[in-house]
Amino acid sequence: MGFISNSDHGIDAGLMVVMLIKFFYGSFYGIFLDDPGLRVCIVIGSFLIQIKPSFLDLALMLYKAPPALYLGVHMARCVFCEIARGSESSWKVYEDQEIMVFLDRYPISYGHILVAPKQHYEDVVRTPPHLVSRAFVVARAFGNASMRYIGATGFRIVTNTGSSAGQIIFHFHVHVIPRYSHGDSGPIEPRAEISDDIAERVVDLYRKAAQDPEVVGMIRGER
Ligand SMILES: [Zn+2]
């Protein structure tokens, strides 16, 4: 009596993934479980096909197993999902139901912030259009805020897509990078970890900006 014959679901999504991986990778088998923000990947060497119970029973057993059984298994966590949930600390500037804005921990310039949907989507291509729009509309509002409240003389809005384009966190986000006439990055060392006092100052300024009726209207997409 194996898990296949006992299964309520018959051949389900997990098994289909295993079969696909078998097809594409040959000597390795894997199970991927995608929860929002939590990617669990189990890769098992092909030698397991030799042992009893049969590999497919084992695969289904692992697929249905509670998370505690995944100890020791490679788990890639998403830091932006953890920020959205509040389980990872961040210098948050603004948030609503869909969008969050927080400081880049390793800013390129003074006032460098990130705008991201709270929901997990890997990159701009995989994000639903209305959230892409909202992220850029909110980025535009905070770019304006950087000129009016942080002292920037210009700003860049950019999203990196794919590791070859410099994407490091695979949760869609838009950078707002203020620029300054007295040098590109303002009064910080680019890409050094932000200090607490600079972060507190920048958060205060952006939060003040987020009360400004003009910025509020831009965040809402009304102006
Ligand atoms: Zn995420």
Side-chain angles (χ1 to χ4, degrees):
M1 290 285 275
F3 274 80
I4 292 175
S5 51
N6 286 341
S7 170
D8 296 327
H9 310 291
I11 295 193
D12 58 16
L15 183 56
M16 291 300 290
V17 171
V18 171
M19 300 301 276
L20 280 173
I21 289 164
K22 178 184 175 186
F23 180 76
F24 286 111
Y25 294 102
S27 63
F28 280 87
Y29 298 85
I31 302 168
F32 292 88
L33 302 178
D34 256 328
D35 274 330
L38 177 66
R39 176 162 304 166
V40 180
C41 165
I42 305 166
V43 179
I44 303 165
S46 62
F47 66 90
L48 281 177
I49 197 78
Q50 309 294 335
I51 65 173
K52 302 288 179 186
S54 84
F55 174 75
L56 287 179
D57 282 7
L58 183 66
L60 273 181
M61 185 179 76
L62 283 172
Y63 177 63
K64 292 166 188 298
L69 282 185
Y70 296 129
L71 284 175
V73 168
H74 171 70
M75 295 171 74
R77 68 196 188 105
C78 174
V79 68
F80 286 3
C81 282
E82 291 183 4
I83 286 174
R85 281 195 295 267
S87 56
E88 171 73 31
S89 68
S90 67
W91 294 102
K92 218 168 261 180
V93 166
Y94 169 83
E95 67 181 316
D96 57 36
Q97 299 277 59
E98 296 174 319
I99 295 287
M100 55 186 179
V101 182
F102 50 97
L103 303 194
D104 192 304
R105 208 179 282 269
Y106 299 91
I108 291 175
S109 69
Y110 182 69
H112 179 178
I113 48 177
L114 306 176
V115 181
K118 289 181 166 175
Q119 188 90 22
H120 183 90
Y121 299 101
E122 193 169 312
D123 58 34
V124 69
V125 175
R126 291 174 171 88
T127 303
H130 80 280
L131 284 176
V132 173
S133 302
R134 277 231 64 216
F136 276 95
V137 163
V138 172
R140 167 179 170 266
F142 279 94
N144 182 34
S146 78
M147 293 206 294
R148 296 193 42 223
Y149 285 82
I150 309 288
T153 51
F155 62 90
R156 293 170 54 210
I157 291 178
V158 64
T159 185
N160 301 325
T161 308
S163 51
S164 55
Q167 187 176 6
I168 297 167
I169 307 287
F170 287 84
H171 177 134
F172 168 57
H173 59 285
V174 175
H175 295 258
V176 178
I177 305 168
R179 289 303 191 195
Y180 300 87
S181 55
H182 57 274
D184 260 350
S185 26
I188 60 152
E189 181 67 35
R191 282 305 186 192
E193 185 166 5
I194 196 165
S195 66
D196 285 359
D197 51 318
I198 288 202
E200 277 167 24
R201 200 189 319 155
V202 173
V203 167
D204 278 353
L205 291 170
Y206 275 126
R207 284 187 180 164
K208 199 178 291 173
Q211 309 291 318
D212 182 312
E214 181 180 320
V215 178
V216 170
M218 289 180 78
I219 289 171
R220 291 181 183 156
E222 293 166 356
R223 56 195 292 168

